[in-house]
Amino acid sequence: MKIWIDEREALEYYISDQAVIFDCRGIMDNNTQSLEQFNQQHIQNSIFSFPILTGNNPMSSGRHPLPDLNEFYRFVKIHAQDKMIIAVDNKDSFFGTRFLYLCHLVGLDCYIIDGGYENLDGFSQYFVSETDFSSVNRVVMSDKNIDTDNKNIDTDNKNMYYNKAIFIDIETLLKNDEERILIDARSKERFIGLFEPIDTVAGHIPEAINIPYNDCFEDGYIKDHAALTTLFQVTQDNPVTVYCGSGLSATPLYAALRSLDRDVALYAGSFSEWISFYPDKIETGD
């Protein structure tokens, strides 16, 4: 599956008005600073998307629960206007891949500009600083109806008809399907329990292996097909479940594995959810 596109291809779609750019850059847990960053500079007519990446959806807990999927679907559809959906993020980041994962969850195609915002050259002539943009709040408050008959939309339930093949909840993880390889995307220090700056318990979910998410990148760009194949060689051809601290930084692994046409799902609640239920079921070390 094609996930990343180079700037040249993205620019062609943008200039010809065949695509909408969704700007996923952000400051972790700070919508105000994220908006300030967007206002300072962004691609003209791009859509500020950072606040819609998380929410309070009960289908996942942990530090960064999923958003209302109906709301996310409508947000993207309203702004995309049936054009190609292209995400941009900072280099080596995971907000763009979170956006892509959410798109896949609700049945939308999406691409990410490889190299990140810092490496944009051709787009620089379209950089602007302005405050007139389409905000998440405007879309949430909109009474515009978008595809209410679409099979993905459940108007009576915030947990819409999502792609269950790429979503793993804590009950499914507890079944410990031996065919699925569990990958922890955090740093090795956090994985082995040597260092834990955020969560109250150190270590990892039993039987997980460690592939830090930034191993997917080289000089700000996604590694090529051969390098990614080597990176994930330890999983062989098994289905894979990825997780991290809260469901954000595991998404580059999800995207990389999807680019290899692998069977991969995200445990969205991730380690922060796991330890709130099973603080005694933790492993440390390699």
Side-chain angles (χ1 to χ4, degrees), residues 68-205:
D68 180 315
L69 296 184
N70 282 337
E71 182 179 296
F72 177 83
Y73 180 83
R74 289 193 175 98
F75 169 78
V76 177
K77 288 289 286 184
I78 286 171
H79 284 109
Q81 303 175 60
D82 295 324
K83 299 174 185 177
M84 180 181 292
I85 299 165
I86 299 178
V88 67
D89 191 10
N90 293 121
K91 66 178 183 178
D92 301 329
S93 186
F94 42 74
F95 298 127
T97 50
R98 170 73 163 206
F99 180 86
L100 174 128
Y101 172 75
L102 291 169
C103 284
H104 287 182
L105 202 58
V106 299
L108 297 173
D109 293 328
C110 175
Y111 303 94
I112 303 171
I113 301 177
D114 193 15
Y117 193 88
E118 295 88 341
N119 287 314
L120 294 181
D121 183 26
F123 271 100
S124 60
Q125 61 185 307
Y126 300 104
F127 287 169
V128 295
S129 298
E130 59 186 5
T131 58
D132 184 16
F133 65 97
S134 297
S135 72
V136 171
N137 286 336
R138 281 188 203 159
V139 175
V140 170
M141 297 300 293
S142 172
D143 58 1
K144 185 177 180 181
N145 292 321
I146 295 293
D147 287 353
T148 54
D149 294 329
N150 187 283
K151 65 179 181 180
N152 284 326
I153 291 292
D154 179 357
T155 56
D156 298 321
N157 188 346
K158 73 186 299 180
N159 297 331
M160 61 185 293
Y161 304 120
Y162 58 92
N163 182 2
K164 293 182 173 143
I166 63 172
F167 175 81
I168 299 291
D169 59 21
I170 194 168
E171 289 81 11
T172 304
L173 197 64
L174 272 172
K175 293 178 182 177
N176 195 26
D177 185 345
E178 294 183 357
E179 291 186 358
R180 298 198 72 89
I181 303 296
L182 183 62
I183 302 178
D184 187 316
R186 298 171 301 158
S187 68
K188 182 176 181 179
E189 291 78 10
R190 294 183 70 186
F191 176 79
I192 66 177
L194 182 64
F195 173 69
E196 181 46 63
I198 304 174
D199 291 310
T200 57
V201 180
H204 58 268
I205 298 174

